[in-house]
Structure formats: structure tokens, C-alpha cells
Amino acid sequence: MTTSSTSSKSKLLYVEDEVIISLETAETLRETFGFDVTLAHTLDAAKRLVAQQHFTHALLDVNLGRGETTTELAQQLSAEGAQVVFCTGYASGEFDGITHYPIVEKPFRAEELAPHFGR
């Protein structure tokens, strides 16, 4: 499942496998930071979206379950110029390739995203 709003705002890809969390956070990203948020709940959906659209920002849950992580997706988005921030409930050292990106621990509040997405 994916959702999107359309506007000329900065485009943020938010990848989160927990649907309730993702809907609440996407609304915060829209209202607090003014992003046009596109939401993906699976890695496959996120990859399809990245192939179709350009994103200026990304908030990525590191671990999507079933052995899927968003670390390679982060590298691709970063190479395309997107500002990438990881969110995770795990210690940052548990995943290779994320330590040079900003990491926000779950659960988080909008204030914790402000240093990375404040506008």
C-alpha cells in the first residue's frame, strides 16, 4: 500500500512497515514540516516509487521484517541527492551501512526530526 499527496512541496519518501505508526507520522511530516509525503510499507513498494519519482528527502525504517532492510535503498536515494534519515528501534550498530546517516530512535516525536527536516 502506498499513499501520496500532490503539490509543489519537497517530496519525502517514508518507508515504514507498521501501518498505524506510518499514517500518524506521515501526517506529522505533512503538517509540521510541509512535505509532500509518499508512503511505502514494503521494500518492493519503496523501490518502485524510487524508480518512478524523485525524492528530496527520505525517512526510512531500517528493519522492515522478513530480513529486509532499507540500507541499499538509502544509498540509492542519497546518490540521487535525497537527504536520508533512518528511524529504528534497534541500536545503530546492529545494521551495516547506516552509521553515516542521521538516526532517530523509535518511538520519536516531531521535535526529534526537526534537526534533520526542520524548514
Side-chain angles (χ1 to χ4, degrees):
M1 176 183 160
T2 61
T3 59
S4 177
S5 62
T6 57
S7 75
S8 61
K9 300 175 185 177
S10 295
K11 293 183 64 71
L12 181 137
L13 174 63
Y14 178 34
V15 182
E16 169 62 64
D17 60 327
E18 296 291 333
V19 176
I20 300 298
I21 292 170
S22 67
L23 295 173
E24 292 173 359
T25 302
E27 189 62 25
T28 298
L29 291 165
R30 286 181 189 104
E31 290 182 2
T32 304
F33 302 107
F35 285 113
D36 175 7
V37 178
T38 301
L39 182 58
H41 300 296
T42 67
L43 187 57
D44 285 341
K47 287 178 179 179
R48 283 192 302 273
L49 289 165
V50 169
Q52 298 169 354
Q53 302 176 50
H54 173 73
F55 293 95
T56 58
H57 298 77
L59 179 60
L60 308 176
D61 182 0
V62 178
N63 184 3
L64 299 177
R66 301 173 309 280
E68 293 184 335
T69 66
T70 57
T71 54
E72 287 183 21
L73 183 65
Q75 293 169 357
Q76 179 183 352
L77 285 160
S78 185
E80 294 174 3
Q83 179 181 345
V84 175
V85 175
F86 279 110
C87 56
T88 184
Y90 297 90
S92 62
E94 290 188 43
F95 296 96
D96 292 333
I98 71 168
T99 56
H100 60 281
Y101 294 99
I103 301 169
V104 178
E105 290 186 33
K106 290 187 197 176
F108 54 84
R109 297 182 318 271
E111 300 84 44
E112 295 171 77
L113 294 174
H116 311 293
F117 294 140
R119 300 153 48 104

